[in-house]
Amino acid sequence: MATAHTDPAPYGPMTYARFLDWLDEDTLAEWVDGTVVMTSPASARHQLLVAFFAGTLARFIEVAHVGGTVLTGPFQMKLANAGREPDVLFLARAHKRRLRQTHLNGPADLVIEVISPESVKRDREQKFSEYQQAGIPEYWLIDPADQHADFFQLDAQGIYQRVAPDAQGIYQAPTILGFWLNIAWLWQEPLPAVDEALLDIMGQTYASYLREQMRRRGL
C-alpha cells in the first residue's frame, strides 16, 4: 500500500491530470469542475455492502461468461466535468478501451453508490445529474440506514427512470444479462455469502461451477 502524502488538499482550479498526479490510493477525494472535493471514511456496513456487490458481480461475470470488469473505490471514473470514485462500477467488455492504469476514461455501464450520512446530497443530486449526463445506463443507490434501494435506468431520451423491484422484491439488472438481486439480502445481518447468493441467482449452473472447482483441487 502506498504511503499517504502529506500535501494538503489543493485549492483553486486544477486540471484532472494534476489531480491524478496529486492523488494517492490512501486519499479520499474526488475532482469536480477543477476543484478537489474531500470525502469521509466509510462505515463497516458500507464496506460490507461494497464487498458483497463487488464479489457477487465479479463471480457472476466470470461464471456466466458475460465479459467485463468490476472495480471498487478508490478508483477514479473520469467524466466530462468530474472525476468520481464510485463504490462499485461495472465496465462491459465492449468498453474496455476506456480503462486506464489509474482511472476509467469515460462512463461505466453500471455504477453502485452506497449512501453514507455525509454523502446523501452528493449521491442523490450531484452524482445523479453527472451520471445521467454522462450516459451511464444503470445507477443503483443503496441506503443502509433507511434500508432502501433505488434503481435507475436511462430511457430512450437519456433520462433516468426509477425501476422498482417486482412483487417478490427482485430487481433484474439489464446491464448484466441474467443477474438479479433480492433486495431483502441487503438488510440481512450478516449479509449472505457470495456463494449463497449466486446459488440462488444461477442455480444449477453455479452448483456445477463449485463442483468443478472442488474436483480440480482433488476434493
Side-chain angles (χ1 to χ4, degrees), residues 44-45 48-49 147 184-192:
R45 186 64 180 184
L48 289 169
L49 281 165
Q147 295 193 355
W185 291 341
L186 307 180
W187 325 131
Q188 290 182 15
E189 185 61 50
L191 288 165

Side-chain angles (χ1 to χ4, degrees), residues 86-157:
D87 289 321
V88 183
L89 66 81
F90 165 71
L91 182 70
R93 178 188 294 158
H95 301 139
K96 64 181 180 179
R97 286 182 294 181
R98 298 175 186 170
L99 190 60
R100 305 289 190 268
Q101 185 66 28
T102 59
H103 67 287
L104 178 61
N105 188 33
D109 294 277
L110 164 66
V111 167
I112 305 172
E113 298 285 6
V114 179
I115 297 174
S116 300
E118 61 84 27
S119 74
V120 174
K121 182 179 179 65
R122 184 167 65 248
D123 293 337
R124 289 198 175 278
E125 297 180 19
Q126 297 164 356
K127 289 187 178 183
F128 184 97
S129 177
E130 292 166 4
Y131 295 171
Q132 178 177 263
Q133 185 176 4
I136 293 173
E138 196 171 353
Y139 182 30
W140 301 3
L141 273 168
I142 311 299
D143 189 339
D146 290 342
Q147 295 193 355
H148 185 77
D150 288 310
F151 304 91
F152 297 94
Q153 299 171 16
L154 284 183
D155 64 16
Q157 288 70 47

Side-chain angles (χ1 to χ4, degrees), residues 52-84:
F52 172 75
F53 285 127
T56 306
L57 286 169
R59 185 67 60 80
F60 178 89
I61 288 164
E62 174 191 353
V63 177
H65 306 291
V66 171
T69 303
V70 176
L71 294 167
T72 62
F75 190 80
Q76 282 280 316
M77 178 177 65
K78 174 64 171 65
L79 305 178
N81 296 307
R84 294 298 191 178

Side-chain angles (χ1 to χ4, degrees), residues 193-212:
V194 168
D195 286 339
E196 292 175 354
L198 287 171
L199 283 169
D200 281 345
I201 295 169
M202 304 185 75
Q204 186 59 44
T205 298
Y206 194 68
S208 298
Y209 167 83
L210 291 177
R211 285 193 291 268
E212 177 61 18

